Amino acid sequence: MLLYDYHRSTAAYRVRIALELKGIAAQRKEVDLLHGEHVRADFLRVNHQGLLPALALDDGAVLTQSLAIVEYLDAIRPEPRLVPEDPVVAAQVRSVALMIACDIHPLGAPRVVAHLKERFHATEDEIGAWRRKWQLGGLEAVEEAIRPGPYCCGQDVTLADVCLMPQLYSARRFEVPLDGFPRILAVEKACEEHPAFHAAHPARRSSREQE
Ligand SMILES: N[C@@H](CCC(=O)N[C@@H](CS)C(=O)NCC(=O)O)C(=O)O
């Protein structure tokens, strides 16, 4: 497998966590978002959406969309299960994951921020206020959805945690205050102590190409 990755990409970070949790080895190719490598012809041939991550399988198939990729990994290597079998818990896990992946993350994506700057001449202060509004509002909903832990949806790591930790990395990077979210902070602490989350962290994935 080859993961098209960018160390700071929160969507790619989800897939890195899932690979680590499942002990699946993948080669990694860094596609530099800052330098626009994701919209160059060679990467658009991999993912015509021009978004990270993408996962190329050994048979040539290419998977895109981080949640679809994580669910694929869950299907081929069910242990540990990231989407539990119980239908109610599975829906709760997906609900938290989608709150983050659909309702928070896209509003701070580089293409959205670039458009705010280019089309609406937003200043850095305005961009900061924009990020805080959508992250704080979204995390309020996540805080309410979290069930007794130590993880988002109980005693096991799930897709919800796989989505939450990268979003918290982004929140901290852009100085979004998290002190009003005690349940989220407790989950963050539990995940930080888990070796898979530690190994997948952007700080440990910043060189251009790695095994
Ligand atoms: N829904 C997609 C989101 C992918 C996405 O937005 N990735 C970001 C990096 S975190 C990206 O490639 N952004 C490029 C841009 O916004 O121009 C997924 O979960 O894979």
Side-chain angles (χ1 to χ4, degrees):
M1 287 182 192
L2 173 63
L3 176 65
Y4 291 86
D5 191 6
Y6 177 62
H7 64 288
R8 279 187 176 155
S9 157
T10 52
Y13 184 7
R14 295 171 196 151
V15 174
R16 295 200 305 265
I17 295 168
L19 287 167
E20 290 289 338
L21 283 165
K22 290 173 178 295
I24 299 176
Q27 286 192 318
R28 175 171 174 269
K29 181 165 177 55
E30 179 101 337
V31 178
D32 191 335
L33 283 184
L34 274 189
H35 291 94
E37 289 181 1
H38 59 303
V39 287
R40 288 193 196 154
D42 54 345
F43 183 67
L44 291 176
R45 277 195 291 276
V46 176
N47 179 5
H48 72 271
Q49 241 192 327
L51 299 177
L52 293 165
L55 185 70
L57 306 184
D58 294 344
D59 67 2
V62 176
L63 307 182
T64 60
Q65 289 290 334
S66 60
L67 268 53
I69 296 172
V70 173
E71 293 227 21
Y72 163 78
L73 297 174
D74 224 20
I76 61 159
R77 182 79 58 92
E79 289 302 321
R81 287 194 76 93
L82 297 178
V83 178
E85 264 170 331
D86 181 288
V88 173
V89 185
Q92 289 168 334
V93 164
R94 287 197 178 95
S95 173
V96 173
L98 293 169
M99 283 178 193
I100 295 165
C102 298
D103 299 336
I104 304 177
H105 171 266
L107 290 157
R111 59 197 180 282
V112 172
V113 171
H115 190 66
L116 289 172
K117 288 182 184 165
E118 285 157 22
R119 174 68 179 80
F120 300 106
H121 311 292
T123 62
E124 287 303 323
D125 280 354
E126 287 166 337
I127 299 288
W130 170 274
R131 286 189 195 281
R132 280 190 296 282
K133 171 169 176 59
W134 299 117
Q135 294 224 27
L136 287 173
L139 289 174
E140 268 171 34
V142 172
E143 177 78 6
E144 289 308 311
I146 285 178
R147 301 163 69 239
Y151 299 110
C152 280
C153 296
Q155 294 192 337
D156 299 314
V157 170
T158 66
L159 180 65
D161 307 288
V162 165
C163 291
L164 181 63
M165 284 303 276
Q167 198 57 47
L168 297 179
Y169 163 76
S170 167
R172 293 195 183 282
R173 186 175 159 214
F174 295 111
E175 298 178 350
V176 175
L178 297 175
D179 39 304
F181 304 117
R183 291 186 207 160
I184 287 176
L185 291 177
V187 172
E188 182 184 42
K189 191 165 181 303
C191 291
E192 276 170 353
E193 286 164 9
H194 194 301
F197 288 86
H198 184 79
H201 192 277
R204 279 166 287 282
R205 300 298 180 110
S206 58
S207 70
R208 287 191 60 82
E209 279 187 33
Q210 297 173 354
E211 284 280 311

